[in-house]
Amino acid sequence: MQTCAEWIMQATGITCHSDKVRPGYIFVAIVGRITDGNAFAAAAAARGALVIVSDSPARLPPLTLPVITVPDARLALARLAALFYGNPSDKLHLVGITGSNGKTTIACMLEHIFTQAGLTTGLIGTIRVNTGTNSFPSTLTTPDAVSVQHYLAQMLKNKVTHAAMEVSAQGIDMHRVANVRFSAGILTNLCADHLDFHGSFASYLEAKAKFLDLLGTATPLIVNIADPYCQAIAGRFSGKLITAAIDSPADITASITHLTTYGSAFTVTVNRPLEAGNGQMLPAGRYPMTLALPGRHNVENALLAGIAALVHGLAPETIGAALAGFRSVERRMNIFHLEGLTIVDDTALNPGSIDAVFAALASFRYNRLIVVNAIRGQRGTAINAANAAALTGQRRKLPFELIITASNEQVGPADSVTAEEKLAFLTTLNTLKTDYTYTGSLSGAIRLALRHALPGDLLLLIGAQGMDAGRQVLSSLAKTPENPCRDQGHYPRPAWSAAAE
């Protein structure tokens, strides 16, 4: 029987979705968490599939076309996709970025730095995909293996030379980035997240550690060594390690000299000569940088992105000029003003990102702080309990009024908050004696915040999909006659309570 590689020579395409099969396609049947691809093999055959690939042939229906049995269908999909598209990552300078927080900002920073350096640049990330001549919204942080290889092949076709890619823990575990060659890796930071998928924090950490297996011995791994979990994973890496930290011992460090609401100034110190990918050596030295983004965490993001650019041969001066012109990514510490209020919109979705946002608020000037937080839907009870505990921890350091919402009218089934998730979040707040107000709708939560707000106050909108429409809803509500900010807040303020709908 022909091997998978031999079938590739005849194939017109490859997919694991039966509805995408066209005549001559290879259909890879994957046993998923919800559905079993083997059950759709007959449909794939009817649509003209060339061959079926499965790691569970006993689950297949009777078929007349060839079946190839493999040990792992997901790995086979990744290998087949790479072969079909000609292993495009082998011909790209591709930086893989993993970690709990900062991936999106770092990827976009790298895209901006490479572009400003005159390079044709690509991006695969949470917010969008850029194939060099075409940019469009993405649906997953790390797409499926076929899409990854397709995007990389499109980049090559469009003469992209340098690209950045976010690599999620699920993407690693599900082999979406198997057979992708990275020219450098970045490990940002680690905290509890995606516990619904991985089951435990330990399993999540182990999935992140598998990122090391994707890097060759000559591929540099850039690590935020100040993070204890990153430090532990870095200790398992046998390849070329470059450590980074703010105000802590590392190969390359950043020292913050100025931190304000709208940006920072910092000095990057290269403590030992650094070998770049072009064979040149960057001597030890100090390089002043500025960044038009708030927060210590964004300095950390800039440091990691800057090091990745250094190892690809870019000059520190080029990197510094690019970072100075970089602007915030969608829903990452976005600051705007409305009716006398300062609003910060951030996708903070786990304890680490919640803590980072509140730390950044230390440089803000305001009268009172009002926080509207969206519960994470379809992500499990553990992460929601952890996020509630993180908010309680911040409340003990800093007074603020807290409004919790499920954003019922804004999210679809994939992101809707379950009764168990809502209970986990609110019970944690109750147990920790944290006052709050709950409202099911996002519009209700923001309307309540506006009713309580006065000019000079700071309104913080945080959360993932449930808060994506927060700014739009806020802008719409602020134009209505009931907005108290329009007449300087001459409205009674209802008492805040822990009662939940």
Side-chain angles (χ1 to χ4, degrees), residues 417-450:
V417 176
T418 66
E420 293 78 11
E421 288 168 333
K422 171 185 167 184
L423 182 64
F425 201 108
L426 301 185
T427 298
T428 300
L429 293 178
N430 290 335
T431 300
L432 297 174
K433 304 187 186 312
T434 302
D435 292 338
Y436 63 91
T437 299
Y438 172 83
T439 178
S441 69
L442 178 60
S443 58
I446 292 178
R447 185 179 291 111
L448 183 60
L450 286 173

PDB file of all heavy atoms in Angstrom, residues 417-450:
ATOM      1  N   VAL A 417     -21.881  31.911  29.128  1.00  0.00           N
ATOM      2  CA  VAL A 417     -21.545  31.537  30.498  1.00  0.00           C
ATOM      3  C   VAL A 417     -22.539  30.513  31.020  1.00  0.00           C
ATOM      4  O   VAL A 417     -23.758  30.722  30.967  1.00  0.00           O
ATOM      5  CB  VAL A 417     -21.549  32.786  31.407  1.00  0.00           C
ATOM      6  CG1 VAL A 417     -21.292  32.396  32.861  1.00  0.00           C
ATOM      7  CG2 VAL A 417     -20.501  33.794  30.925  1.00  0.00           C
ATOM      8  N   THR A 418     -22.034  29.398  31.511  1.00  0.00           N
ATOM      9  CA  THR A 418     -22.906  28.369  32.082  1.00  0.00           C
ATOM     10  C   THR A 418     -23.286  28.741  33.516  1.00  0.00           C
ATOM     11  O   THR A 418     -22.637  29.580  34.155  1.00  0.00           O
ATOM     12  CB  THR A 418     -22.215  27.007  32.090  1.00  0.00           C
ATOM     13  OG1 THR A 418     -21.094  27.061  32.999  1.00  0.00           O
ATOM     14  CG2 THR A 418     -21.708  26.631  30.698  1.00  0.00           C
ATOM     15  N   ALA A 419     -24.319  28.087  34.002  1.00  0.00           N
ATOM     16  CA  ALA A 419     -24.738  28.326  35.381  1.00  0.00           C
ATOM     17  C   ALA A 419     -23.613  27.968  36.353  1.00  0.00           C
ATOM     18  O   ALA A 419     -23.412  28.648  37.375  1.00  0.00           O
ATOM     19  CB  ALA A 419     -25.994  27.511  35.689  1.00  0.00           C
ATOM     20  N   GLU A 420     -22.862  26.915  36.031  1.00  0.00           N
ATOM     21  CA  GLU A 420     -21.767  26.484  36.897  1.00  0.00           C
ATOM     22  C   GLU A 420     -20.632  27.510  36.904  1.00  0.00           C
ATOM     23  O   GLU A 420     -20.027  27.769  37.962  1.00  0.00           O
ATOM     24  CB  GLU A 420     -21.231  25.131  36.446  1.00  0.00           C
ATOM     25  CG  GLU A 420     -22.196  23.970  36.628  1.00  0.00           C
ATOM     26  CD  GLU A 420     -23.274  23.926  35.538  1.00  0.00           C
ATOM     27  OE1 GLU A 420     -23.134  24.664  34.531  1.00  0.00           O
ATOM     28  OE2 GLU A 420     -24.252  23.183  35.717  1.00  0.00           O
ATOM     29  N   GLU A 421     -20.338  28.099  35.749  1.00  0.00           N
ATOM     30  CA  GLU A 421     -19.273  29.103  35.673  1.00  0.00           C
ATOM     31  C   GLU A 421     -19.654  30.360  36.440  1.00  0.00           C
ATOM     32  O   GLU A 421     -18.838  30.935  37.173  1.00  0.00           O
ATOM     33  CB  GLU A 421     -18.971  29.431  34.210  1.00  0.00           C
ATOM     34  CG  GLU A 421     -18.252  28.296  33.489  1.00  0.00           C
ATOM     35  CD  GLU A 421     -18.203  28.478  31.992  1.00  0.00           C
ATOM     36  OE1 GLU A 421     -19.104  29.140  31.431  1.00  0.00           O
ATOM     37  OE2 GLU A 421     -17.259  27.953  31.362  1.00  0.00           O
ATOM     38  N   LYS A 422     -20.880  30.783  36.268  1.00  0.00           N
ATOM     39  CA  LYS A 422     -21.364  31.944  37.012  1.00  0.00           C
ATOM     40  C   LYS A 422     -21.313  31.673  38.521  1.00  0.00           C
ATOM     41  O   LYS A 422     -20.846  32.516  39.302  1.00  0.00           O
ATOM     42  CB  LYS A 422     -22.804  32.263  36.587  1.00  0.00           C
ATOM     43  CG  LYS A 422     -23.495  33.308  37.444  1.00  0.00           C
ATOM     44  CD  LYS A 422     -24.952  33.454  37.019  1.00  0.00           C
ATOM     45  CE  LYS A 422     -25.742  34.254  38.047  1.00  0.00           C
ATOM     46  NZ  LYS A 422     -27.187  34.328  37.705  1.00  0.00           N
ATOM     47  N   LEU A 423     -21.755  30.488  38.920  1.00  0.00           N
ATOM     48  CA  LEU A 423     -21.751  30.135  40.337  1.00  0.00           C
ATOM     49  C   LEU A 423     -20.331  30.106  40.890  1.00  0.00           C
ATOM     50  O   LEU A 423     -20.073  30.602  41.998  1.00  0.00           O
ATOM     51  CB  LEU A 423     -22.417  28.771  40.532  1.00  0.00           C
ATOM     52  CG  LEU A 423     -22.529  28.270  41.980  1.00  0.00           C
ATOM     53  CD1 LEU A 423     -23.428  29.202  42.796  1.00  0.00           C
ATOM     54  CD2 LEU A 423     -23.083  26.846  42.007  1.00  0.00           C
ATOM     55  N   ALA A 424     -19.396  29.556  40.137  1.00  0.00           N
ATOM     56  CA  ALA A 424     -18.006  29.486  40.593  1.00  0.00           C
ATOM     57  C   ALA A 424     -17.432  30.879  40.808  1.00  0.00           C
ATOM     58  O   ALA A 424     -16.740  31.139  41.806  1.00  0.00           O
ATOM     59  CB  ALA A 424     -17.157  28.709  39.583  1.00  0.00           C
ATOM     60  N   PHE A 425     -17.711  31.777  39.877  1.00  0.00           N
ATOM     61  CA  PHE A 425     -17.183  33.144  39.976  1.00  0.00           C
ATOM     62  C   PHE A 425     -17.784  33.868  41.186  1.00  0.00           C
ATOM     63  O   PHE A 425     -17.060  34.414  42.032  1.00  0.00           O
ATOM     64  CB  PHE A 425     -17.498  33.910  38.690  1.00  0.00           C
ATOM     65  CG  PHE A 425     -16.621  35.102  38.461  1.00  0.00           C
ATOM     66  CD1 PHE A 425     -15.648  35.081  37.481  1.00  0.00           C
ATOM     67  CD2 PHE A 425     -16.756  36.246  39.229  1.00  0.00           C
ATOM     68  CE1 PHE A 425     -14.828  36.175  37.267  1.00  0.00           C
ATOM     69  CE2 PHE A 425     -15.951  37.353  39.026  1.00  0.00           C
ATOM     70  CZ  PHE A 425     -14.982  37.315  38.037  1.00  0.00           C
ATOM     71  N   LEU A 426     -19.115  33.865  41.265  1.00  0.00           N
ATOM     72  CA  LEU A 426     -19.777  34.633  42.318  1.00  0.00           C
ATOM     73  C   LEU A 426     -19.594  34.008  43.698  1.00  0.00           C
ATOM     74  O   LEU A 426     -19.452  34.718  44.694  1.00  0.00           O
ATOM     75  CB  LEU A 426     -21.264  34.783  41.994  1.00  0.00           C
ATOM     76  CG  LEU A 426     -21.590  35.480  40.658  1.00  0.00           C
ATOM     77  CD1 LEU A 426     -23.090  35.669  40.509  1.00  0.00           C
ATOM     78  CD2 LEU A 426     -20.866  36.808  40.540  1.00  0.00           C
ATOM     79  N   THR A 427     -19.561  32.683  43.755  1.00  0.00           N
ATOM     80  CA  THR A 427     -19.341  32.023  45.048  1.00  0.00           C
ATOM     81  C   THR A 427     -17.959  32.352  45.591  1.00  0.00           C
ATOM     82  O   THR A 427     -17.785  32.553  46.808  1.00  0.00           O
ATOM     83  CB  THR A 427     -19.510  30.500  44.899  1.00  0.00           C
ATOM     84  OG1 THR A 427     -20.839  30.210  44.481  1.00  0.00           O
ATOM     85  CG2 THR A 427     -19.222  29.792  46.219  1.00  0.00           C
ATOM     86  N   THR A 428     -16.967  32.416  44.710  1.00  0.00           N
ATOM     87  CA  THR A 428     -15.618  32.780  45.147  1.00  0.00           C
ATOM     88  C   THR A 428     -15.605  34.190  45.712  1.00  0.00           C
ATOM     89  O   THR A 428     -15.018  34.440  46.779  1.00  0.00           O
ATOM     90  CB  THR A 428     -14.624  32.683  43.976  1.00  0.00           C
ATOM     91  OG1 THR A 428     -14.622  31.337  43.481  1.00  0.00           O
ATOM     92  CG2 THR A 428     -13.218  33.060  44.419  1.00  0.00           C
ATOM     93  N   LEU A 429     -16.273  35.114  45.043  1.00  0.00           N
ATOM     94  CA  LEU A 429     -16.354  36.484  45.571  1.00  0.00           C
ATOM     95  C   LEU A 429     -17.064  36.509  46.919  1.00  0.00           C
ATOM     96  O   LEU A 429     -16.639  37.199  47.856  1.00  0.00           O
ATOM     97  CB  LEU A 429     -17.084  37.384  44.576  1.00  0.00           C
ATOM     98  CG  LEU A 429     -16.390  37.663  43.239  1.00  0.00           C
ATOM     99  CD1 LEU A 429     -17.270  38.526  42.355  1.00  0.00           C
ATOM    100  CD2 LEU A 429     -15.036  38.340  43.458  1.00  0.00           C
ATOM    101  N   ASN A 430     -18.151  35.754  47.018  1.00  0.00           N
ATOM    102  CA  ASN A 430     -18.897  35.717  48.288  1.00  0.00           C
ATOM    103  C   ASN A 430     -18.051  35.121  49.405  1.00  0.00           C
ATOM    104  O   ASN A 430     -18.010  35.639  50.527  1.00  0.00           O
ATOM    105  CB  ASN A 430     -20.182  34.909  48.114  1.00  0.00           C
ATOM    106  CG  ASN A 430     -21.198  35.613  47.234  1.00  0.00           C
ATOM    107  OD1 ASN A 430     -21.186  36.841  47.108  1.00  0.00           O
ATOM    108  ND2 ASN A 430     -22.077  34.841  46.602  1.00  0.00           N
ATOM    109  N   THR A 431     -17.373  34.023  49.095  1.00  0.00           N
ATOM    110  CA  THR A 431     -16.549  33.355  50.096  1.00  0.00           C
ATOM    111  C   THR A 431     -15.435  34.264  50.592  1.00  0.00           C
ATOM    112  O   THR A 431     -15.096  34.268  51.785  1.00  0.00           O
ATOM    113  CB  THR A 431     -15.951  32.063  49.516  1.00  0.00           C
ATOM    114  OG1 THR A 431     -17.013  31.192  49.114  1.00  0.00           O
ATOM    115  CG2 THR A 431     -15.088  31.348  50.549  1.00  0.00           C
ATOM    116  N   LEU A 432     -14.873  35.042  49.678  1.00  0.00           N
ATOM    117  CA  LEU A 432     -13.775  35.950  50.033  1.00  0.00           C
ATOM    118  C   LEU A 432     -14.274  37.317  50.491  1.00  0.00           C
ATOM    119  O   LEU A 432     -13.484  38.241  50.653  1.00  0.00           O
ATOM    120  CB  LEU A 432     -12.837  36.106  48.819  1.00  0.00           C
ATOM    121  CG  LEU A 432     -12.136  34.816  48.382  1.00  0.00           C
ATOM    122  CD1 LEU A 432     -11.344  35.043  47.099  1.00  0.00           C
ATOM    123  CD2 LEU A 432     -11.233  34.291  49.492  1.00  0.00           C
ATOM    124  N   LYS A 433     -15.612  37.417  50.674  1.00  0.00           N
ATOM    125  CA  LYS A 433     -16.240  38.636  51.212  1.00  0.00           C
ATOM    126  C   LYS A 433     -15.920  39.870  50.371  1.00  0.00           C
ATOM    127  O   LYS A 433     -15.521  40.920  50.882  1.00  0.00           O
ATOM    128  CB  LYS A 433     -15.839  38.853  52.670  1.00  0.00           C
ATOM    129  CG  LYS A 433     -16.164  37.677  53.589  1.00  0.00           C
ATOM    130  CD  LYS A 433     -15.902  37.981  55.046  1.00  0.00           C
ATOM    131  CE  LYS A 433     -16.085  36.752  55.924  1.00  0.00           C
ATOM    132  NZ  LYS A 433     -17.322  36.011  55.686  1.00  0.00           N
ATOM    133  N   THR A 434     -16.083  39.713  49.068  1.00  0.00           N
ATOM    134  CA  THR A 434     -15.843  40.805  48.136  1.00  0.00           C
ATOM    135  C   THR A 434     -17.178  41.322  47.608  1.00  0.00           C
ATOM    136  O   THR A 434     -17.939  40.582  46.991  1.00  0.00           O
ATOM    137  CB  THR A 434     -14.988  40.310  46.951  1.00  0.00           C
ATOM    138  OG1 THR A 434     -13.769  39.777  47.450  1.00  0.00           O
ATOM    139  CG2 THR A 434     -14.685  41.448  45.990  1.00  0.00           C
ATOM    140  N   ASP A 435     -17.476  42.588  47.858  1.00  0.00           N
ATOM    141  CA  ASP A 435     -18.722  43.181  47.392  1.00  0.00           C
ATOM    142  C   ASP A 435     -18.716  43.332  45.879  1.00  0.00           C
ATOM    143  O   ASP A 435     -17.681  43.645  45.275  1.00  0.00           O
ATOM    144  CB  ASP A 435     -18.937  44.552  48.029  1.00  0.00           C
ATOM    145  CG  ASP A 435     -19.203  44.452  49.523  1.00  0.00           C
ATOM    146  OD1 ASP A 435     -19.628  43.375  49.970  1.00  0.00           O
ATOM    147  OD2 ASP A 435     -18.972  45.449  50.221  1.00  0.00           O
ATOM    148  N   TYR A 436     -19.864  43.153  45.267  1.00  0.00           N
ATOM    149  CA  TYR A 436     -19.988  43.299  43.825  1.00  0.00           C
ATOM    150  C   TYR A 436     -21.452  43.454  43.474  1.00  0.00           C
ATOM    151  O   TYR A 436     -22.342  43.235  44.310  1.00  0.00           O
ATOM    152  CB  TYR A 436     -19.428  42.066  43.096  1.00  0.00           C
ATOM    153  CG  TYR A 436     -20.195  40.801  43.406  1.00  0.00           C
ATOM    154  CD1 TYR A 436     -21.282  40.395  42.617  1.00  0.00           C
ATOM    155  CD2 TYR A 436     -19.853  40.006  44.500  1.00  0.00           C
ATOM    156  CE1 TYR A 436     -21.992  39.249  42.922  1.00  0.00           C
ATOM    157  CE2 TYR A 436     -20.556  38.856  44.801  1.00  0.00           C
ATOM    158  CZ  TYR A 436     -21.633  38.479  44.020  1.00  0.00           C
ATOM    159  OH  TYR A 436     -22.341  37.350  44.326  1.00  0.00           O
ATOM    160  N   THR A 437     -21.725  43.825  42.247  1.00  0.00           N
ATOM    161  CA  THR A 437     -23.061  43.789  41.677  1.00  0.00           C
ATOM    162  C   THR A 437     -23.012  42.946  40.423  1.00  0.00           C
ATOM    163  O   THR A 437     -22.094  43.102  39.616  1.00  0.00           O
ATOM    164  CB  THR A 437     -23.571  45.196  41.330  1.00  0.00           C
ATOM    165  OG1 THR A 437     -23.633  45.972  42.516  1.00  0.00           O
ATOM    166  CG2 THR A 437     -24.957  45.136  40.699  1.00  0.00           C
ATOM    167  N   TYR A 438     -23.966  42.060  40.264  1.00  0.00           N
ATOM    168  CA  TYR A 438     -24.012  41.196  39.084  1.00  0.00           C
ATOM    169  C   TYR A 438     -25.192  41.599  38.200  1.00  0.00           C
ATOM    170  O   TYR A 438     -26.292  41.872  38.684  1.00  0.00           O
ATOM    171  CB  TYR A 438     -24.170  39.731  39.482  1.00  0.00           C
ATOM    172  CG  TYR A 438     -24.420  38.828  38.291  1.00  0.00           C
ATOM    173  CD1 TYR A 438     -23.366  38.364  37.517  1.00  0.00           C
ATOM    174  CD2 TYR A 438     -25.729  38.490  37.917  1.00  0.00           C
ATOM    175  CE1 TYR A 438     -23.600  37.572  36.408  1.00  0.00           C
ATOM    176  CE2 TYR A 438     -25.966  37.695  36.803  1.00  0.00           C
ATOM    177  CZ  TYR A 438     -24.887  37.241  36.048  1.00  0.00           C
ATOM    178  OH  TYR A 438     -25.121  36.478  34.954  1.00  0.00           O
ATOM    179  N   THR A 439     -24.965  41.624  36.912  1.00  0.00           N
ATOM    180  CA  THR A 439     -26.045  41.787  35.951  1.00  0.00           C
ATOM    181  C   THR A 439     -25.769  40.889  34.756  1.00  0.00           C
ATOM    182  O   THR A 439     -24.620  40.748  34.332  1.00  0.00           O
ATOM    183  CB  THR A 439     -26.200  43.253  35.503  1.00  0.00           C
ATOM    184  OG1 THR A 439     -27.248  43.342  34.532  1.00  0.00           O
ATOM    185  CG2 THR A 439     -24.928  43.795  34.905  1.00  0.00           C
ATOM    186  N   GLY A 440     -26.811  40.254  34.242  1.00  0.00           N
ATOM    187  CA  GLY A 440     -26.620  39.274  33.186  1.00  0.00           C
ATOM    188  C   GLY A 440     -26.147  39.867  31.870  1.00  0.00           C
ATOM    189  O   GLY A 440     -25.397  39.231  31.136  1.00  0.00           O
ATOM    190  N   SER A 441     -26.594  41.080  31.562  1.00  0.00           N
ATOM    191  CA  SER A 441     -26.267  41.671  30.275  1.00  0.00           C
ATOM    192  C   SER A 441     -25.095  42.635  30.379  1.00  0.00           C
ATOM    193  O   SER A 441     -24.905  43.307  31.391  1.00  0.00           O
ATOM    194  CB  SER A 441     -27.482  42.416  29.705  1.00  0.00           C
ATOM    195  OG  SER A 441     -27.763  43.568  30.468  1.00  0.00           O
ATOM    196  N   LEU A 442     -24.320  42.706  29.287  1.00  0.00           N
ATOM    197  CA  LEU A 442     -23.204  43.650  29.242  1.00  0.00           C
ATOM    198  C   LEU A 442     -23.721  45.084  29.224  1.00  0.00           C
ATOM    199  O   LEU A 442     -23.157  45.960  29.893  1.00  0.00           O
ATOM    200  CB  LEU A 442     -22.356  43.379  27.996  1.00  0.00           C
ATOM    201  CG  LEU A 442     -21.163  44.306  27.773  1.00  0.00           C
ATOM    202  CD1 LEU A 442     -20.186  44.237  28.932  1.00  0.00           C
ATOM    203  CD2 LEU A 442     -20.458  43.962  26.457  1.00  0.00           C
ATOM    204  N   SER A 443     -24.783  45.325  28.471  1.00  0.00           N
ATOM    205  CA  SER A 443     -25.340  46.682  28.431  1.00  0.00           C
ATOM    206  C   SER A 443     -25.832  47.108  29.810  1.00  0.00           C
ATOM    207  O   SER A 443     -25.656  48.263  30.209  1.00  0.00           O
ATOM    208  CB  SER A 443     -26.474  46.758  27.406  1.00  0.00           C
ATOM    209  OG  SER A 443     -27.491  45.818  27.710  1.00  0.00           O
ATOM    210  N   GLY A 444     -26.429  46.180  30.554  1.00  0.00           N
ATOM    211  CA  GLY A 444     -26.877  46.504  31.906  1.00  0.00           C
ATOM    212  C   GLY A 444     -25.716  46.824  32.828  1.00  0.00           C
ATOM    213  O   GLY A 444     -25.789  47.742  33.649  1.00  0.00           O
ATOM    214  N   ALA A 445     -24.634  46.077  32.700  1.00  0.00           N
ATOM    215  CA  ALA A 445     -23.459  46.302  33.543  1.00  0.00           C
ATOM    216  C   ALA A 445     -22.821  47.656  33.242  1.00  0.00           C
ATOM    217  O   ALA A 445     -22.469  48.418  34.165  1.00  0.00           O
ATOM    218  CB  ALA A 445     -22.440  45.185  33.328  1.00  0.00           C
ATOM    219  N   ILE A 446     -22.676  47.989  31.958  1.00  0.00           N
ATOM    220  CA  ILE A 446     -22.045  49.259  31.598  1.00  0.00           C
ATOM    221  C   ILE A 446     -22.974  50.422  31.909  1.00  0.00           C
ATOM    222  O   ILE A 446     -22.525  51.492  32.350  1.00  0.00           O
ATOM    223  CB  ILE A 446     -21.628  49.236  30.114  1.00  0.00           C
ATOM    224  CG1 ILE A 446     -20.491  48.227  29.937  1.00  0.00           C
ATOM    225  CG2 ILE A 446     -21.209  50.616  29.639  1.00  0.00           C
ATOM    226  CD1 ILE A 446     -20.005  48.066  28.520  1.00  0.00           C
ATOM    227  N   ARG A 447     -24.286  50.238  31.737  1.00  0.00           N
ATOM    228  CA  ARG A 447     -25.226  51.288  32.112  1.00  0.00           C
ATOM    229  C   ARG A 447     -25.121  51.584  33.607  1.00  0.00           C
ATOM    230  O   ARG A 447     -25.141  52.748  34.034  1.00  0.00           O
ATOM    231  CB  ARG A 447     -26.650  50.861  31.752  1.00  0.00           C
ATOM    232  CG  ARG A 447     -27.692  51.953  31.998  1.00  0.00           C
ATOM    233  CD  ARG A 447     -29.082  51.487  31.609  1.00  0.00           C
ATOM    234  NE  ARG A 447     -29.216  51.327  30.166  1.00  0.00           N
ATOM    235  CZ  ARG A 447     -29.352  50.157  29.550  1.00  0.00           C
ATOM    236  NH1 ARG A 447     -29.360  49.027  30.270  1.00  0.00           N
ATOM    237  NH2 ARG A 447     -29.471  50.085  28.249  1.00  0.00           N
ATOM    238  N   LEU A 448     -24.989  50.547  34.400  1.00  0.00           N
ATOM    239  CA  LEU A 448     -24.841  50.726  35.841  1.00  0.00           C
ATOM    240  C   LEU A 448     -23.546  51.466  36.172  1.00  0.00           C
ATOM    241  O   LEU A 448     -23.511  52.349  37.028  1.00  0.00           O
ATOM    242  CB  LEU A 448     -24.865  49.360  36.529  1.00  0.00           C
ATOM    243  CG  LEU A 448     -24.799  49.341  38.059  1.00  0.00           C
ATOM    244  CD1 LEU A 448     -25.986  50.087  38.663  1.00  0.00           C
ATOM    245  CD2 LEU A 448     -24.770  47.906  38.563  1.00  0.00           C
ATOM    246  N   ALA A 449     -22.467  51.103  35.486  1.00  0.00           N
ATOM    247  CA  ALA A 449     -21.192  51.786  35.714  1.00  0.00           C
ATOM    248  C   ALA A 449     -21.292  53.267  35.381  1.00  0.00           C
ATOM    249  O   ALA A 449     -20.794  54.128  36.121  1.00  0.00           O
ATOM    250  CB  ALA A 449     -20.100  51.126  34.872  1.00  0.00           C
ATOM    251  N   LEU A 450     -21.952  53.587  34.263  1.00  0.00           N
ATOM    252  CA  LEU A 450     -22.115  54.991  33.879  1.00  0.00           C
ATOM    253  C   LEU A 450     -22.974  55.737  34.891  1.00  0.00           C
ATOM    254  O   LEU A 450     -22.739  56.919  35.172  1.00  0.00           O
ATOM    255  CB  LEU A 450     -22.747  55.078  32.489  1.00  0.00           C
ATOM    256  CG  LEU A 450     -21.843  54.717  31.309  1.00  0.00           C
ATOM    257  CD1 LEU A 450     -22.640  54.686  30.011  1.00  0.00           C
ATOM    258  CD2 LEU A 450     -20.686  55.696  31.202  1.00  0.00           C
TER     259      LEU A 450
END
